[in-house]
Amino acid sequence: MQKKDFLLAVFITFVWGINFSIIKLGLLSLNPFMLSGLRFLLCAIPLIFFIKKPNVSMVYIASYGLIFGVGLWGMVSLGIYFGISAGVASLVLQLSAFFTVILGAIVLHEKIQLHKKLGFVTALAGIAFIISITDGTVTYLGLFLVLVGAISWSVANVIVKKAGTKEVFAFLIYASIFSPIPLFLLAYLTQGDVVFVNFFENLDGKAIFSILFQVYPTTLMGYWVWNSLLHKYPASSVAPLSLLVPIFGLLGSYFVFNEPIGSLKIIACVLIISGLIVNTFGGNFQFKRSFDQ
């Protein structure tokens, strides 16, 4: 990978990591469902009027929009709202890689290899350490909601694979139009019409910055650059860099909100990232061992 592309990839992982703290910043003013709804509304409009619809069934587009917008980011925002720190949320969300493997076995009949099972067990040990954190940055409800988000992300990954589209950016734009209405409805159901009546009163500078950061650097630019790099280089050269996301997430949480990074979080981070490394590279190691023998 060329140096400039490597640095660009690292920058995107930084944006994705710090985004969790930016979400929390927006939650200081707005309802979590309103915040997520505005994010996806601006992801779709006005670009949807200028970008051609991908050649994919609307069933896949709509289902992805609901799962990615509501199930993933709606639940992650709600989880942060209910007390899990931005840094821990960024770490727990990485479990989606393992849930994707499990769903792939169920839906796509893909075999779960031994190294993937070992990686999953290692990551679960990291979750055990997160549950034991008592510094006030983890709540059971917040942790549960982010886990729902991780499962939703894995479902979204399977939907993309089943759709078989190569027009990922257009797919994301058109899918985003299906996220805002259910998110706004959930905002109304959870807090009533006050979320709309007091919207402009609550829409301060921090909220506007949070929305714009989630829309443009995080979603539109982030996914466009990342998929461009995946198209340009082997996935094995690009995908492992996503392991930097929870590291930047924890650091962002520390610097933006002064949330402590204690020994339990460090151990959990090491275990979950180690599990992801085993999940990603374990097959190559097993192949080398069998070849050497």
Side-chain angles (χ1 to χ4, degrees):
M1 183 183 295
Q2 296 179 9
K3 183 179 179 180
K4 64 179 181 63
D5 288 335
F6 173 79
L7 293 175
L8 186 59
V10 171
F11 174 72
I12 294 302
T13 63
F14 166 76
V15 169
W16 284 347
I18 200 71
N19 180 60
F20 291 86
S21 292
I22 303 301
I23 289 174
K24 184 171 181 177
L25 194 66
L27 292 174
L28 297 176
S29 307
L30 295 179
N31 172 282
F33 294 123
M34 286 293 291
L35 186 68
S36 297
L38 289 168
R39 169 186 182 173
F40 287 100
L41 180 65
L42 294 179
C43 282
I45 298 174
L47 288 177
I48 198 170
F49 299 115
F50 302 98
I51 294 178
K52 183 181 178 182
K53 175 185 171 295
N55 187 25
V56 179
S57 168
M58 286 300 295
V59 173
Y60 288 125
I61 294 175
S63 58
Y64 183 86
L66 290 172
I67 296 297
F68 189 73
V70 182
L72 170 52
W73 290 111
M75 291 301 105
V76 169
S77 296
L78 192 62
I80 295 174
Y81 178 80
F82 277 117
I84 193 170
S85 79
V88 175
S90 71
L91 184 59
V92 172
L93 195 60
Q94 304 310 308
L95 289 179
S96 64
F98 302 106
F99 294 137
T100 300
V101 171
I102 295 171
L103 279 177
I106 297 172
V107 178
L108 304 175
H109 307 293
E110 297 175 348
K111 183 180 179 180
I112 302 179
Q113 297 170 308
L114 177 61
H115 69 277
K116 294 184 181 293
K117 296 178 182 177
L118 292 174
F120 186 47
V121 171
T122 304
L124 286 180
I127 291 296
F129 276 95
I130 287 177
I131 293 173
S132 65
I133 293 173
T134 58
D135 62 4
T137 59
V138 176
T139 63
Y140 291 132
L141 179 56
L143 178 61
F144 170 76
L145 289 167
V146 175
L147 284 172
V148 171
I151 294 172
S152 297
W153 197 358
S154 66
V155 173
N157 289 336
V158 172
I159 291 173
V160 170
K161 190 163 186 178
K162 291 281 287 184
T165 181
K166 295 182 180 179
E167 304 167 278
V168 180
F169 186 73
F171 185 83
L172 176 63
I173 298 301
Y174 276 80
S176 294
I177 202 65
F178 292 94
S179 303
I181 291 178
L183 285 166
F184 292 151
L185 180 60
L186 285 170
Y188 174 77
L189 292 175
T190 54
Q191 289 193 336
D193 60 2
V194 68
V195 295
F196 302 106
V197 174
N198 296 338
F199 173 71
F200 288 104
E201 181 181 339
N202 295 330
L203 189 66
D204 56 14
K206 291 180 181 178
I208 293 172
F209 172 73
S210 177
I211 294 167
L212 294 179
F213 188 91
Q214 291 178 66
V215 173
Y216 298 104
T218 301
T219 307
L220 297 181
M221 185 190 77
Y223 281 94
W224 175 68
V225 170
W226 193 260
N227 288 314
S228 296
L229 292 173
L230 284 172
H231 180 72
K232 186 175 181 180
Y233 299 101
S236 58
S237 299
V238 181
L241 292 173
S242 65
L243 296 174
L244 294 172
V245 171
I247 296 175
F248 286 130
L250 286 168
L251 291 174
S253 187
Y254 173 76
F255 285 110
V256 177
F257 290 100
N258 199 30
E259 293 172 349
I261 303 178
S263 58
L264 289 177
K265 288 182 185 177
I266 293 174
I267 294 172
C269 186
V270 170
L271 286 170
I272 291 176
I273 291 179
S274 296
L276 288 167
I277 291 173
V278 171
N279 179 73
T280 305
F281 299 108
N284 295 335
F285 177 74
Q286 287 182 342
F287 175 79
K288 185 179 186 301
R289 285 284 302 272
S290 62
F291 182 82
D292 290 341
Q293 290 173 354

